[in-house]
Amino acid sequence: MSDSFYMTNNKTDSIEVVQTPGERGRKKNKLIKEGWTSPSVFTIETIGTMDSTKVADNLADFAENDEDYKKTWMRVAVEKFWMKMSWYYPNKNDPYAPNLKEGWAFYEHITLARHFHRNRKSDPIERAEPGERRHPTELYSFFKTTGECLNDWGIGVALYFNTMKVMTVALLLAGMLSIPNMLYFMSSTYSGVDRELQVPSILGMGSSASRFFTVPVSAVCNSFSWAECQSGYCNEDKLVKEKIPFLKSSDGATILVQENECDDLTLDVGMINFAAIILLVVITFLFSLYQAKKQVIYDENKVTASDYSIRVKNPPKDAIDPDEWEAFFNKYDSKGVAVVTILLNNSPLLRALLTRRTLRKNLSNLFYDIDINNQEEVEKKLATYQFQPNGCLDRILYCFVRPFVKCFNMLLTPTEIMEKLKQNEILIKELQEKEYEVTDVLVTFETEDGQRLALETLKTGQIDVRTQRRGNRIEANLFRGQYILDCEEPPEPSAFRYLDLDANVFKCIVQQTITFGIIIVLIVIASIMVRETRMARGPAPAAILTSSMNILIPNVAKLLILFEQHASEDDRQKSMYLKITVFRWVNTALLLKISAPLTRQLLDQDTDLIPSINALLISEMFLPPLISIADIMGNLSKHYFAPRAKTMHQMLLCFKGTPYNLAEKYTDVSKIVFVVIFFSALNPSLLFMGAIALFVRYYADKYCVMRIWSSAPYIGSNLANFSRKYFFTLALALGALACAYDWGQFPYDRVCNGATNATTLSYDNGGGFDLIYPNGTVVDFTETFTVSRESTVRVCNEKVCCQQIGINFPPVPSRFENDEFEWMSDDQRTVSTIYGWTCVGFLIAYAVIAFCGNFIRLIFSQFVGIYRPVGKDQKIDFSSIKDIDGFIPQVQTGSYAYPLLACNIDYIDQGLIGWNDPGNSYDDYNMIFDVPHPSLTRTTRIMGSTRHWGQLKNHEDFTESDNFDSDAKPIFAIVKQWSLSDRRKGGLKRN
């Protein structure tokens, strides 16, 4: 019988049987408001208890009992059709082979997110724990799942999708505001020819490829005339160096240059673009305010352990007694402390044990037909073992991939594995004899009020923390009567990186500097590749290459991040965000702008700026989302490697899902916003293209997070704040700055007003002129042309050329023009002045918002403690929230389907762990059993699923070790939970 409870409604005198967890625990306040009994008499009583004999112990239950309409269409296709084909499932007739149906059941019940079944549509949606089997669950619906429900993946994920929605609307509105500019660029008023929108071929290849990528609503201009260059301002060396084509008479006395004949920049055009930028700034500002409020709402709706906990960052190194910490912090919460987690600087030991586990798992995958714990059998197998590549793919992996992944203990031979195991055993023996010190202490209170009171009371300046200057502090607030504690609210439990908590600050800085330097090198290499591809093959291949680089390099960044140490997943994501953003922004926009010669900015040939950026946006609109949905590597694992797996463990690893990083997804959005704003002055239609790109990404990523991606650490709001505060605002500021420079250099022909009269003549068959190309090549000019401009023009003297702005700042006319070189009309000067000084204001505002606040906060924090609670106290007891994740030290590894534990969990509720293997004990995943030590209370593993026992100490097979020594110094983290029944006076009884 499943857990069942009844509750009484005071308004209706009705009794309701409640069987879904969504109607228990953290929903207490909602039920009270609806008329259920008040906290003092609120009763939820158990009618029956779980009968373990009626609960499936493994994945076979899910595989056999799941109904087809609740499965993914891919799973149905595999089970109904593909499994029956030997080419797909070679092991289908092998009775000892792992069951592919159970692999797909694992994928849908463990890897993918599920929520508890709702009896009524009005019932709240509550996410179920992976492997939940006590209550019916179902996959989230792609169509019915609202943005609010995405909070179940973490506040950071919900804010990410919210960001995409808002920025999509913002770019769409800015595009609509820019429609008059698009119509102007299409008209004969601008270029002298009415241009029409045409539907090109689907690929846009061939001779007309450049036309496909040149949107008629851009500032492209092909109307030119020849103008006579004023003597002294036609330095030929400078003309060639600046890639300016020109005509030279046979006697060398006359030089003619091309002048753009499109209409001058008008005040209306410039101010409409300016208004679009201002609109985006206003929407971004309002969005920041809205997002801050939304983040509080999300936080209040999703109660997590961090809302109840504090992190002590400077505990005494010998403070290993959890009872001492519980006694100290009890005074801040009337209901007491619920859990204390004491972390040690034992990461070398954990890494060694993790390596041992990985090596042994790799060995068992190779020797799946023997017991690897039997040394004699292993040696016999080694003596006769010969590597047999299973097809072409295995040969490719071992020949080309193996040399690069051996350092990660991947694709090793059995002999290499055994050698590494011997070295690892020696290392572990050394590490287990060491004494470890306390690095952090995590205290979880029974109420949010207890956490807030503790943080408010114990807040202090960093100078006092470092010097331990007690002053007139109350002794009761000093640990052991003498220590000033440095306390803060911790990140989410799953965001803790327990292997890196004792990382040295200087070492972390060096690591990040080196990895960032590698990213810079990759930027240079990518820019050369893209430029050469664009010059040789045109905009389409270059755009595809750029998009591919934007997908490939983040994966390289992920590998580089492996060599960095970060105490939390938030810090790791920020580091990744910075590296990927720099690469994508530079690779996608800055290098494209810099590499295009000034005179080619408004042309429409394959290698010119506007066709290149349009091709890039078209590629970005569809290629990355299609690659994400295609999930090539994930489908290869599920449909090729899984049906050929020799063991169940091998199969389950194929169904772990495709990992994703929220930082990478945020950089993708910021890249699109940055690019479209950066080039919006010359091509306002990019605003619409950017909106389409974000719209497509929203639904592609929503599908991926529900059907493809594996579970990621629960990311709070820090990454969203980091992105919004530093990068989206910077994208707007730099985009506006680029527009200011664009309007300042318009019309990009390098032609300035001259001071002498010109000879207006018509020339037949080239008039005896030679054409000098930008690369210096000289050819005979045979076209008929006319010099109609009545005055000469100035282009280059010996030192500088017209419109050679460089990095002059601020981007205003007084910094661009001088007495020798003037080219702006009155309207252009007005637009440039307004734009330029506005950009100065934007940059100052950005510096104040992004850095001044943090700097002032940093200074103040040295002298006084800073703490401000976020959101309302939900008045929900920690113990009333069923299966809430606690701070249980554990490590994710690619060699196991579940995380590996690194602490004794005998005396805590197993619901705090955050996951459940339906068929195996938590002991199978606990590394404390890998090394004997007198500080461990138990050395014998309990077999089979243990979740329904609550605490392992209550298990019928629980036996304490005879060698346990309570005085022995621990080598693993300590976690202790106190009985809550005597603390929860008048509240909910724990079920």
Side-chain angles (χ1 to χ4, degrees):
M1 182 182 298
S2 62
D3 290 348
S4 302
F5 308 95
Y6 68 87
M7 293 182 289
T8 306
N9 191 307
N10 295 332
K11 294 180 180 179
T12 62
D13 294 326
S14 62
I15 296 178
E16 180 172 344
V17 176
V18 181
Q19 293 181 322
T20 59
E23 297 172 281
R24 300 199 305 254
R26 66 184 178 87
K27 304 301 181 185
K28 182 180 72 173
N29 285 353
K30 180 176 182 295
L31 295 172
I32 293 171
K33 293 177 182 178
E34 293 176 352
W36 302 91
T37 54
S38 63
S40 60
V41 294
F42 196 92
T43 58
I44 297 182
E45 301 178 11
T46 301
I47 294 178
T49 58
M50 179 177 295
D51 184 355
S52 60
T53 62
K54 295 183 180 179
V55 179
D57 291 329
N58 50 52
L59 293 170
D61 179 58
F62 296 138
E64 297 300 327
N65 297 327
D66 283 352
E67 299 173 275
D68 286 347
Y69 75 93
K70 291 185 178 181
K71 302 176 183 177
T72 60
W73 67 269
M74 185 67 76
R75 180 182 174 188
V76 173
V78 169
E79 293 179 351
K80 295 291 186 182
F81 306 105
W82 298 347
M83 279 184 61
K84 300 176 182 178
M85 304 175 185
S86 56
W87 62 266
Y88 179 83
Y89 189 25
N91 300 329
K92 68 185 185 72
N93 295 321
D94 185 354
Y96 300 103
N99 191 335
L100 190 58
K101 287 186 177 181
E102 294 180 15
W104 279 96
F106 173 88
Y107 182 64
E108 293 192 5
H109 283 267
I110 308 297
T111 299
L112 299 183
R114 301 176 72 89
H115 65 85
F116 291 105
H117 173 73
R118 296 184 298 165
N119 295 322
R120 298 181 297 268
K121 290 185 178 180
S122 59
D123 291 341
I125 294 178
E126 184 174 359
R127 182 168 177 169
E129 185 183 65
E132 171 63 40
R133 61 183 185 180
R134 294 167 295 180
H135 305 282
T137 62
E138 55 192 50
L139 292 168
Y140 283 81
S141 169
F142 172 72
F143 297 102
K144 297 180 181 179
T145 301
T146 63
E148 300 295 325
C149 293
L150 293 170
N151 191 33
D152 289 343
W153 279 264
I155 295 176
V157 173
L159 294 176
Y160 164 69
F161 281 98
N162 201 34
T163 298
M164 277 201 290
K165 285 198 296 186
V166 173
M167 295 313 299
T168 299
V169 174
L171 293 181
L172 182 63
L173 292 177
M176 295 174 65
L177 184 61
S178 301
I179 288 178
N181 279 9
M182 301 180 199
L183 297 176
Y184 170 74
F185 288 138
M186 288 181 65
S187 68
S188 59
T189 304
Y190 172 69
S191 62
V193 179
D194 284 318
R195 295 187 282 189
E196 298 179 355
L197 283 172
Q198 297 179 349
V199 180
S201 63
I202 189 67
L203 294 177
M205 300 297 183
S207 60
S208 61
S210 62
R211 306 299 178 190
F212 170 73
F213 295 114
T214 305
V215 180
V217 292
S218 67
V220 163
C221 181
N222 288 315
S223 299
F224 291 94
S225 63
W226 292 100
E228 182 180 343
C229 190
Q230 181 179 335
S231 177
Y233 291 93
C234 303
N235 187 282
E236 295 184 32
D237 292 336
K238 290 289 291 183
L239 291 174
V240 173
K241 183 179 179 180
E242 295 295 327
K243 302 184 184 301
I244 303 173
F246 61 93
L247 295 178
K248 182 179 180 181
S249 63
S250 56
D251 58 4
T254 304
I255 291 181
L256 305 179
V257 294
Q258 282 187 320
E259 180 183 19
N260 191 319
E261 282 198 331
C262 288
D263 194 27
D264 290 335
L265 172 64
T266 65
L267 183 63
D268 292 343
V269 172
M271 296 315 297
I272 287 174
N273 177 249
F274 180 76
I277 298 297
I278 295 298
L279 175 64
L280 289 173
V281 171
V282 171
I283 292 178
T284 302
F285 174 73
L286 296 177
F287 170 63
S288 297
L289 301 179
Y290 166 77
Q291 189 91 310
K293 293 183 178 180
K294 200 71 174 177
Q295 145 185 341
V296 173
I297 295 173
Y298 285 148
D299 185 61
E300 292 175 350
N301 290 341
K302 187 70 174 180
V303 182
T304 63
S306 64
D307 297 320
Y308 296 85
S309 305
I310 66 170
R311 175 187 180 185
V312 180
K313 299 170 62 177
N314 66 334
K317 296 180 180 180
D318 61 344
I320 59 175
D321 184 4
D323 292 315
E324 183 181 17
W325 290 102
E326 185 262 352
F328 175 76
F329 282 103
N330 256 339
K331 56 179 167 286
Y332 301 109
D333 194 332
S334 61
K335 297 185 179 181
V337 171
V339 185
V340 168
T341 302
I342 300 175
L343 304 176
L344 309 178
N345 61 340
N346 63 345
S347 60
L349 175 62
L350 297 184
R351 292 180 189 277
L353 293 174
L354 184 62
T355 299
R356 182 177 182 271
R357 283 257 182 165
T358 301
L359 291 171
R360 285 176 57 83
K361 188 60 67 177
N362 291 344
L363 185 63
S364 67
N365 289 337
L366 294 172
F367 293 169
Y368 57 88
D369 54 346
I370 67 169
D371 180 9
I372 64 169
N373 294 313
N374 189 320
Q375 187 66 26
E376 184 178 348
E377 287 189 25
V378 172
E379 291 178 356
K380 288 181 179 179
K381 189 75 173 180
L382 278 173
T384 59
Y385 178 82
Q386 288 185 347
F387 171 66
Q388 296 290 339
N390 186 16
C392 180
L393 185 59
D394 277 357
R395 289 186 174 87
I396 293 175
L397 290 175
Y398 271 80
C399 291
F400 299 102
V401 180
R402 178 177 134 85
F404 299 99
V405 298
K406 284 179 62 177
C407 60
F408 299 105
N409 293 325
M410 298 171 64
L411 298 181
L412 298 176
T413 64
T415 303
E416 292 172 333
I417 292 175
M418 291 301 297
E419 183 61 33
K420 284 182 173 289
L421 277 172
K422 290 177 182 179
Q423 298 172 4
N424 181 261
E425 293 286 353
I426 296 173
L427 177 61
I428 290 176
K429 288 179 181 179
E430 294 176 358
L431 293 173
Q432 75 181 88
E433 298 300 326
K434 288 188 174 184
E435 291 188 1
Y436 296 100
E437 300 173 340
V438 179
T439 59
D440 297 84
V441 175
L442 297 156
V443 180
T444 302
F445 294 91
E446 184 62 22
T447 67
E448 289 185 74
D449 182 63
Q451 179 232 35
R452 297 182 179 198
L453 179 60
L455 288 174
E456 180 65 33
T457 304
L458 298 176
K459 67 181 183 181
T460 187
Q462 290 301 301
I463 293 178
D464 288 350
V465 170
R466 287 192 293 269
T467 61
Q468 288 294 301
R469 185 176 58 189
R470 294 189 290 273
N472 59 354
R473 287 183 172 81
I474 301 174
E475 185 175 343
N477 293 328
L478 300 174
F479 186 71
R480 294 178 176 173
Q482 58 177 324
Y483 293 107
I484 299 174
L485 299 180
D486 186 11
C487 301
E488 67 177 13
E489 183 173 325
E492 303 299 337
S494 62
F496 251 98
R497 295 175 57 83
Y498 293 97
L499 291 179
D500 296 336
L501 289 178
D502 56 348
N504 179 274
V505 175
F506 177 75
K507 183 179 179 181
C508 292
I509 293 174
V510 171
Q511 290 171 346
Q512 294 184 46
T513 302
I514 293 173
T515 54
F516 190 79
I518 295 175
I519 291 295
I520 298 300
V521 173
L522 292 176
I523 289 174
V524 175
I525 295 174
S527 64
I528 295 173
M529 293 174 61
V530 171
R531 182 179 180 278
E532 293 301 319
T533 301
R534 186 171 66 250
M535 298 299 293
R537 300 293 182 182
I544 294 174
L545 178 60
T546 301
S547 295
S548 300
M549 287 287 185
N550 286 335
I551 296 171
L552 175 63
I553 297 303
N555 290 299
V556 176
K558 294 173 193 175
L559 293 177
L560 294 175
I561 294 294
L562 294 176
F563 296 97
E564 297 180 1
Q565 291 181 294
H566 298 279
S568 72
E569 186 64 23
D570 283 331
D571 293 338
R572 177 178 172 274
Q573 293 286 329
K574 289 176 183 177
S575 176
M576 186 180 301
Y577 194 120
L578 176 63
K579 293 176 177 62
I580 298 176
T581 297
V582 169
F583 177 85
R584 283 178 164 170
W585 285 20
V586 173
N587 183 52
T588 307
L590 296 178
L591 290 177
L592 193 61
K593 181 74 171 178
I594 295 171
S595 63
L598 199 63
T599 55
R600 312 293 303 184
Q601 300 275 316
L602 300 185
L603 300 184
D604 66 349
Q605 298 305 305
D606 289 355
T607 58
D608 295 330
L609 178 65
I610 291 180
S612 297
I613 194 61
N614 288 344
L616 177 61
L617 258 294
I618 291 173
S619 174
E620 287 290 328
M621 285 165 59
F622 303 109
L623 184 60
L626 287 175
I627 291 178
S628 294
I629 293 175
D631 188 29
I632 297 172
M633 296 307 298
N635 281 315
L636 186 64
S637 293
K638 293 192 289 284
H639 296 289
Y640 179 81
F641 291 111
R644 290 158 179 77
K646 301 298 183 182
T647 65
M648 194 64 193
H649 174 77
Q650 289 180 353
M651 178 177 288
L652 295 186
L653 291 181
C654 296
F655 286 99
K656 288 189 67 174
T658 302
Y660 76 98
N661 287 278
L662 195 58
E664 180 187 353
K665 307 311 296 181
Y666 266 113
T667 62
D668 205 26
V669 176
S670 69
K671 172 197 65 182
I672 292 174
V673 173
F674 175 65
V675 169
V676 299
I677 298 175
F678 196 86
F679 295 103
S680 62
L682 303 182
N683 189 359
S685 65
L686 293 180
L687 295 166
F688 285 113
M689 297 169 71
I692 295 172
L694 292 182
F695 179 83
V696 173
R697 271 168 174 72
Y698 178 89
Y699 286 100
D701 287 353
K702 183 180 178 182
Y703 175 81
C704 289
V705 80
M706 294 180 184
R707 294 293 184 268
I708 294 176
W709 292 339
S710 61
S711 297
Y714 187 97
I715 302 296
S717 58
N718 287 342
L719 186 61
N721 294 336
F722 180 73
S723 175
R724 186 176 65 248
K725 184 176 183 179
Y726 294 102
F727 290 95
F728 279 98
T729 50
L730 182 61
L732 285 170
L734 293 182
L737 189 65
C739 291
Y741 279 104
D742 281 340
W743 292 133
Q745 291 178 297
F746 197 86
Y748 297 100
D749 54 8
R750 311 304 297 266
V751 172
C752 288
N753 299 325
T756 60
N757 295 329
T759 304
T760 57
L761 294 172
S762 296
Y763 297 91
D764 295 327
N765 299 322
F769 282 86
D770 292 327
L771 174 62
I772 291 82
Y773 283 105
N775 60 5
T777 303
V778 180
V779 297
D780 291 333
F781 192 65
T782 59
E783 296 181 10
T784 298
F785 65 96
T786 300
V787 177
S788 57
R789 183 181 175 114
E790 296 181 354
S791 62
T792 58
V793 298
R794 296 176 178 180
V795 183
C796 293
N797 58 25
E798 294 181 353
K799 296 181 179 180
V800 70
C801 292
C802 175
Q803 298 172 6
Q804 188 172 328
I805 293 176
I807 55 174
N808 284 338
F809 185 84
V812 294
S814 60
R815 299 288 295 170
F816 295 162
E817 295 183 312
N818 54 46
D819 294 337
E820 285 189 290
F821 295 104
E822 293 183 351
W823 67 90
M824 295 188 188
S825 63
D826 291 339
D827 281 0
Q828 186 172 358
R829 287 193 181 91
T830 301
V831 171
S832 183
T833 301
I834 294 173
Y835 237 125
W837 289 114
T838 302
C839 286
V840 173
F842 283 168
L843 292 174
I844 293 175
Y846 172 75
V848 171
I849 294 173
F851 301 108
C852 288
N854 286 348
F855 180 75
I856 293 173
R857 182 183 177 90
L858 176 64
I859 297 299
F860 270 91
S861 68
Q862 302 304 308
F863 303 97
V864 296
I866 299 175
Y867 168 70
R868 184 180 65 181
V870 177
K872 298 178 181 178
D873 183 350
Q874 298 301 294
K875 306 296 182 182
I876 303 173
D877 291 347
F878 177 81
S879 59
S880 69
I881 309 174
K882 191 170 183 63
D883 297 339
I884 187 173
D885 293 2
F887 292 96
I888 312 300
Q890 49 191 292
V891 181
Q892 291 278 357
T893 174
S895 300
Y896 281 80
Y898 299 90
L900 296 179
L901 299 170
C903 65
N904 186 351
I905 62 169
D906 290 346
Y907 304 97
I908 64 170
D909 288 347
Q910 295 176 82
L912 295 175
I913 296 175
W915 53 269
N916 178 40
D917 183 345
N920 296 293
S921 167
Y922 286 111
D923 289 353
D924 292 339
Y925 302 96
N926 203 329
M927 291 189 290
I928 69 171
F929 295 102
D930 295 355
V931 52
H933 197 267
S935 66
L936 301 178
T937 58
R938 181 167 58 91
T939 57
T940 304
R941 288 186 174 92
I942 297 175
M943 307 305 293
S945 180
T946 60
R947 185 58 177 270
H948 54 282
W949 285 93
Q951 295 188 1
L952 281 175
K953 69 177 183 179
N954 299 324
H955 196 281
E956 58 187 3
D957 295 332
F958 177 84
T959 305
E960 284 194 351
S961 172
D962 296 333
N963 298 323
F964 171 63
D965 182 2
S966 59
D967 295 327
K969 293 290 183 67
I971 62 173
F972 292 103
I974 303 166
V975 184
K976 185 170 182 178
Q977 181 179 17
W978 281 263
S979 173
L980 302 176
S981 58
D982 58 340
R983 302 185 187 280
R984 302 175 60 242
K985 302 173 182 178
L988 294 171
K989 295 181 181 178
R990 190 167 182 82
N991 53 70

